[in-house]
Amino acid sequence: MTEPGAGAGAEEFTLIYRAGRNRLRRVAYLMTGQGAVAEELVHDAFVRLHQRWAAVDVPAAYLRTTLVHLCLAWRDRTAMGQTREPRSADRVEPPEIDETWDLLSTLPRNQRVALVLRYYEDLPVVEIARVMGCRPATVRTRIHRALAKLREEMTP
């Protein structure tokens, strides 16, 4: 790849940004529960991609992995991870994302990440394991337990 500051590289980077920004923002929101934080983390992921542009073979995979790591680091650093900011005009579209967050927020962090990557990013288990730094069997277990807990939460 060429440097994104010039010519075709800049155009390609812009296309990747336009194509992936909103999807990545939804993923980050589902992991953090905070719209402003999600926006900032997505921005940081694109900055990191820009810095490593020449060395990155698959920009979408690099962005996804970087964003997951940024979200996990944010959750580890903040004590606000257990609470949610009030809903405001800063909502993420589509609107069901807020309702989804209410359910996802009841899950442990690793289960939540595994579900978001599997069902919102549509990643195979092997890729989720690579992003999360664990074995595929661990990912399958986390997804299974998360779905069981969600079923329990949703059953009247």
Side-chain angles (χ1 to χ4, degrees):
M1 286 188 189
T2 60
E3 189 67 29
E11 290 175 20
E12 186 179 359
F13 185 85
T14 301
L15 288 173
I16 289 168
Y17 177 80
R18 287 184 180 152
R21 181 183 164 274
N22 287 334
R23 179 183 48 79
L24 291 171
R25 197 171 123 231
R26 283 190 296 272
V27 169
Y29 180 79
L30 287 170
M31 290 186 181
T32 65
Q34 304 210 11
V37 171
E39 186 73 36
E40 194 167 318
L41 294 176
V42 168
H43 175 76
D44 288 349
F46 275 102
V47 167
R48 289 180 184 200
L49 172 63
H50 187 271
Q51 292 168 340
R52 296 191 36 100
W53 185 256
V56 174
D57 292 327
V58 184
Y62 179 86
L63 282 167
R64 183 177 39 250
T65 300
T66 301
L67 182 63
V68 168
H69 288 260
L70 289 170
C71 288
L72 293 175
W74 177 85
R75 301 264 328 163
D76 287 343
R77 281 191 317 271
T78 183
M80 296 171 59
Q82 300 302 317
T83 62
R84 243 184 114 214
E85 66 185 21
R87 291 188 177 134
S88 66
D90 188 26
R91 293 174 64 156
V92 175
E93 295 300 324
E96 71 268 7
I97 295 294
D98 279 336
E99 295 163 3
T100 303
W101 170 253
D102 289 337
L103 284 171
L104 289 175
S105 67
T106 65
L107 297 173
R109 180 185 78 163
N110 286 329
Q111 289 178 9
R112 181 174 50 251
V113 171
L115 281 184
V116 169
L117 292 176
R118 179 67 186 106
Y119 295 106
Y120 279 87
E121 282 294 287
D122 200 27
L123 293 180
V125 169
V126 172
E127 179 67 10
I128 296 169
R130 188 189 66 72
V131 170
M132 294 183 73
C134 63
R135 296 179 17 232
T138 303
V139 171
R140 285 190 293 274
T141 300
R142 289 175 181 167
I143 290 171
H144 175 77
R145 289 179 180 166
L147 291 174
K149 184 168 183 187
L150 290 177
R151 276 188 215 98
E152 186 179 296
E153 291 283 328
M154 293 173 23
T155 303

